Amino acid sequence: MATPTVESGIRGFRGELLRPGDPSYDDARRVFNGMVDRSPALIARCTGTDDVVAAVGHARDTGLPLAVHGGGHGVVGHAVCDGGLMLDLRPMNRVQVQVSDRSVRAEGGATWGQFDAATQEHGLAVTGGRVSSTGVGGLALGSGSGWLERTLGYTCDSLIGAQVVTAAGQVLEVGPEQEPDLFWALRGGGGNFGVVTRFDFRASPMGPVLLGGMVMHPHEAAVDVVRHYRDFMAQAPDEVNGAAAFISAPPEPFVPEPVRGRPVLGLVVVYAGDVAQGQEVLRPLLDHGSPIVTMVQPMPYTAIQQMLDLACPRGMRNWWTADFLRELPDDGIEAIAERTGRVPSPMTQVILAPGGGALARVPREATAFDLRDAPWNIHFLSMWPDPADDERNIAWTRELAASVKPYAAAGAYLNFLGDEGADRVRAAFGPDKYDRLVALKDRYDPDNLFCLNQNIAPSGRPPGPRAGS
Ligand SMILES: Cc1cc2nc3c(=O)[nH]c(=O)nc-3n(C[C@H](O)[C@H](O)[C@H](O)COP(=O)(O)OP(=O)(O)OC[C@H]3O[C@@H](n4cnc5c(N)ncnc54)[C@H](O)[C@@H]3O)c2cc1C
């Protein structure tokens, strides 16, 4: 039997195959982060589980590096590789809702925009990504943080099953009863254990209209507003979701002219409950200080889920990191405020997302995802258009991230992490969970075929790309 090659295509594959020079190749290989510019030898646009089995088998048999593309939002750009096979799940984007038991089946390449549109037709939701083009796949496998998390938990806390194609090409149905260890690993362990062709979630009644929006304060008031927000959130009921966002005011008509493009503090609020009740509960937040603009109103949950879309265009240069904080003392707030006051790019966002509520109630051992009790999760999302500004933006982000390290909890949040090395990945799980994940990696992917991710290497192998990747 002849060895399969890139030229000969993929045996049994029915979807589209793209090679360098094909008209849609360049668009297909581009990911969210414009700093990532890689050229796979072959892009396999999968139309179903059989295509995924064929593509995984092809990578395994040829030794080609294998990248798995869900929504393409991973900031490191693991979704695409040089010279290898990019398994593109985007054509697999169906989302089906069964109202009788509130179950939702989402194919592995669906986005949150597609997911929310399908579920909200029935007044249902699962905690989902805050930008609608983000993939359900990568986000859910890394736990999944979103505007409903204090009410419903992380995305992975609503996962009830999955279909997984393993490195050996087996198609496994996974859930609490079948392959329970693998089911545990999928909830936080990332793309290490196979290609998830279908996610099954239990959705919750939500909306379709919620009280939400943003209160924008002058940057000079940031320390006072965030201190007040911190103290408010320490007592807030589960329905209160949101974040304190150090951003720059958008150049929009609703923003007074002198503030446009200047650093501001945006308090994002989403009340996942009755609108009138939300107005009462949120009053202390909405009435505090002297905001520049208050844009909090009843709005469709699908609109809340797209609030940040325009602020996050595809193709910008992105350098991100994140930390859980065990405390947010005044000194920490002052450090963030001082540095965000001289942010080098108006596109950059520094998000302080509160923990607590449903996030903290799931037992720590229930999922591979580990850090459940941190009161704050801080995301440093630096974004700028011009390669000439790379050094300045990266240096600024590093300095800011270092300034809150004294308050960081042991651990890491993989969904917003850059390429920060094996120790950070290990720290995200803690030693016991990491050992359990390695044992599962030995069982389901002993050759580390799925290595382009926040990698958990099988025993005896270094983490990261296989030789040739
Ligand atoms: C603009 C923007 C907004 C974001 N907002 C949020 C947010 O609100 N909350 C949050 O938690 N995170 C958020 N993230 C981070 C995001 O969750 C991670 O980057 C995640 O990895 C993206 O998943 P993806 O499928 O879009 O990305 P991809 O780059 O396609 O995938 C990342 C990795 O996930 C794995 N993967 C993806 N799909 C599958 C699958 N079906 N089966 C197996 N492996 C798979 C692969 O290993 C892949 O390399 C955001 C990112 C961006 C760029």
Side-chain angles (χ1 to χ4, degrees), residues 6-371:
V6 168
E7 290 72 31
S8 63
I10 298 177
R11 194 173 300 117
F13 191 83
R14 288 184 307 187
E16 195 182 3
L17 289 175
L18 302 175
R19 298 179 177 81
D22 287 345
S24 38
Y25 171 85
D26 261 332
D27 190 49
R29 76 182 179 87
R30 300 247 179 251
V31 291
F32 177 83
N33 187 355
M35 291 177 94
V36 177
D37 181 13
R38 300 193 192 118
S39 301
L42 195 59
I43 299 176
R45 294 177 60 82
C46 299
T47 58
T49 302
D50 291 348
D51 279 351
V52 174
V53 172
V56 166
H58 187 78
R60 195 184 55 234
D61 296 345
T62 55
L64 279 175
L66 174 65
V68 177
H69 188 298
H73 273 219
V75 77
V76 184
H78 286 133
V80 59
C81 53
D82 271 326
L85 171 63
M86 172 174 159
L87 190 158
D88 186 354
L89 291 166
R90 279 171 289 186
M92 295 172 60
N93 57 23
R94 261 178 316 173
V95 181
Q96 291 171 300
V97 181
Q98 188 165 301
V99 178
S100 56
D101 62 356
R102 304 198 315 261
S103 62
V104 186
R105 301 193 136 193
E107 285 189 305
T111 64
W112 283 104
Q114 291 157 342
F115 189 98
D116 292 334
T119 48
Q120 278 292 280
E121 242 179 70
H122 307 283
L124 296 171
V126 164
T127 300
R130 299 177 182 90
V131 171
S132 66
S133 50
T134 309
V136 171
L139 182 134
L141 291 168
S143 75
S145 162
W147 294 134
L148 300 179
E149 64 191 8
R150 292 187 78 256
T151 315
L152 303 180
Y154 287 111
T155 308
C156 71
D157 297 332
S158 297
L159 193 71
I160 53 171
Q163 184 185 65
V164 182
V165 174
T166 66
Q170 276 183 297
V171 180
L172 299 179
E173 288 295 331
V174 175
E177 310 297 334
Q178 295 157 285
E179 309 282 345
D181 287 345
L182 182 52
F183 181 57
W184 174 84
L186 292 182
R187 288 172 292 156
N192 276 287
F193 302 95
V195 181
V196 180
T197 45
R198 195 194 72 235
F199 292 87
D200 300 338
F201 294 99
R202 180 87 63 222
S204 303
M206 191 58 64
V209 170
L210 299 179
L211 183 66
M214 182 189 279
V215 190
M216 194 184 287
H217 290 270
H219 191 268
E220 301 74 60
V223 171
D224 168 62
V225 173
V226 176
R227 274 163 49 176
H228 180 256
Y229 182 57
R230 173 197 62 196
D231 299 343
F232 177 86
M233 289 311 301
Q235 310 294 330
D238 289 11
E239 287 84 358
V240 180
N241 293 273
F246 292 85
I247 53 174
S248 297
E252 299 288 344
F254 59 81
V255 177
E257 221 282 324
V259 188
R260 291 181 200 162
R262 311 272 313 145
V264 290
L265 189 278
L267 219 49
V268 180
V269 293
V270 178
Y271 190 81
D274 176 71
V275 168
Q277 196 177 47
Q279 269 149 349
E280 279 311 303
V281 173
L282 295 178
R283 192 174 301 283
L285 281 186
L286 305 185
D287 286 353
H288 184 79
S290 308
I292 303 165
V293 249
T294 298
M295 299 161 290
V296 177
Q297 58 193 9
M299 58 170 122
Y301 171 65
T302 48
I304 290 174
Q305 283 291 86
Q306 293 167 30
M307 254 184 328
L308 299 184
D309 281 13
L310 283 178
C312 298
R314 185 178 184 230
M316 293 297 107
R317 305 182 75 75
N318 286 266
W319 197 93
W320 294 15
T321 186
D323 258 312
F324 285 104
L325 303 181
R326 62 186 151 67
E327 56 171 342
L328 183 59
D330 292 355
D331 288 356
I333 299 170
E334 281 159 22
I336 302 166
E338 191 275 313
R339 286 162 180 86
T340 49
R342 47 183 171 86
V343 63
S345 165
M347 304 191 76
T348 289
Q349 306 168 17
V350 176
I351 312 281
L352 262 170
L359 294 172
R361 273 199 299 275
V362 174
R364 196 167 187 164
E365 60 281 4
T367 58
F369 175 79
D370 194 47
L371 250 174

